[in-house]
Amino acid sequence: MFRIAASGDRQAFCRLWQQVFGDGESFSGPVFDSFAGPGNVYLSEEAGQLQAILSAVPVTLSGHKGFYLYGLATDPACRGKGLMTGLMEWAEAQLAAAGAEFCCLVPASPSLFEFYRARGYQKAFGLREVCRPIRRNLWSQADFDSVTAKALLDLRRRFCPDSVTLTLGGMVRVLTDLYSGGLTIVSDPDGYGLYFQRGDELEVIELFAEGDRAAERLLEAARDKTGAETARITLGHAQPLFLGEGKPMDYGMIHFLAQPFPVEESYMRLMLDNEG
């Protein structure tokens, strides 16, 4: 039986989440409570036993209402029975009936791209990884960790209006998780970046700026703060920064529940998918 979760399903949800993903209730509980939120968790159960779960997180993309499917998990003892396929189809039908125009997701491993393709999803939101040295420049100044979740959403709207956008509550949850893993945000009037320090390298998981030189100034300020001399930067495939550099990477997928719309230039990132 497929159904929408009720508050009393929280414990079983967290138990199956930990069985499949390894995260404790301190992570899965907020997914149930607020990242997806009431009415947005879907279950498959039989004889009172939870078999599969998925969370449908509200998002928008260029004015279109959609949902980000997250935490798709099946009890190992129940795999191979088509339960997740059935649960996805049932949830998508409920979402479409409520006015959703699309669902998107991030496959947890490369092998799952084919699984989702066979269920109506297509690749989208590709990324590009750029590795470059950071020169030393003591004149490059920036602020650190002064960007709130609301401010980050505003910066996204300014620098990349064609991006998959979480609610404020969803972005708060993402930043809370990233900060717990050591995230730093560098910003100035011309751009911002989110990074982790990995020894002598900065792992920059998002970077937007008014041109290459503005982006370099942010990296130079981060070098002055951390001492890191190189950066491994993840950009949206259509971003104009450092054109001609880097290698393409698959990231997300989309399934249209209504009339398709262009997503070739769209961007998706920071989706609580363990970037840290």
Side-chain angles (χ1 to χ4, degrees), residues 122-234:
Q122 63 189 61
K123 288 183 179 180
F125 319 114
L127 301 176
R128 177 166 50 98
E129 184 179 82
V130 173
C131 296
R132 54 175 22 235
I134 310 171
R135 72 173 186 171
R136 191 163 185 240
N137 183 358
L138 299 180
W139 295 102
S140 292
Q141 302 292 317
D143 297 320
F144 291 88
D145 295 332
S146 62
V147 174
T148 64
K150 182 180 184 304
L152 182 56
L153 289 173
D154 290 340
L155 287 168
R156 280 273 193 89
R157 293 187 188 99
R158 172 187 167 189
F159 287 102
C160 188
D162 191 18
S163 64
V164 176
T165 303
L166 294 163
T167 64
L168 176 59
M171 185 57 79
V172 167
R173 179 66 195 127
V174 167
L175 284 185
T176 298
D177 183 62
L178 292 174
Y179 273 128
S180 72
L183 179 79
T184 298
I185 300 181
V186 57
S187 63
D188 67 15
D190 296 321
Y192 73 94
L194 289 76
Y195 69 84
F196 298 95
Q197 184 174 3
R198 310 297 192 199
D200 292 332
E201 181 178 76
L202 299 183
E203 180 187 352
V204 184
I205 62 173
E206 180 161 292
L207 180 65
F208 283 99
E210 299 282 4
D212 288 2
R213 186 66 198 112
E216 289 169 345
R217 286 195 297 269
L218 291 169
L219 297 174
E220 290 162 0
R223 170 177 171 159
D224 188 49
K225 179 180 176 65
T226 64
E229 298 180 357
T230 61
R232 180 162 52 90
I233 309 162
T234 301

Side-chain angles (χ1 to χ4, degrees), residues 72-86:
L72 289 76
T74 303
D75 185 326
C78 300
R79 290 175 183 167
K81 301 178 181 178
L83 289 174
M84 184 53 69
T85 298

Side-chain angles (χ1 to χ4, degrees), residues 82-94:
L83 289 174
M84 184 53 69
T85 298
L87 181 58
M88 289 177 67
E89 291 175 349
W90 188 81
E92 289 160 0
Q94 309 308 304

Side-chain angles (χ1 to χ4, degrees), residues 22-46:
D23 303 307
E25 188 174 341
S26 62
F27 185 91
S28 58
V31 172
F32 186 93
D33 297 334
S34 58
F35 188 57
N40 291 323
V41 174
Y42 294 81
L43 311 176
S44 172
E45 69 174 2
E46 184 174 340

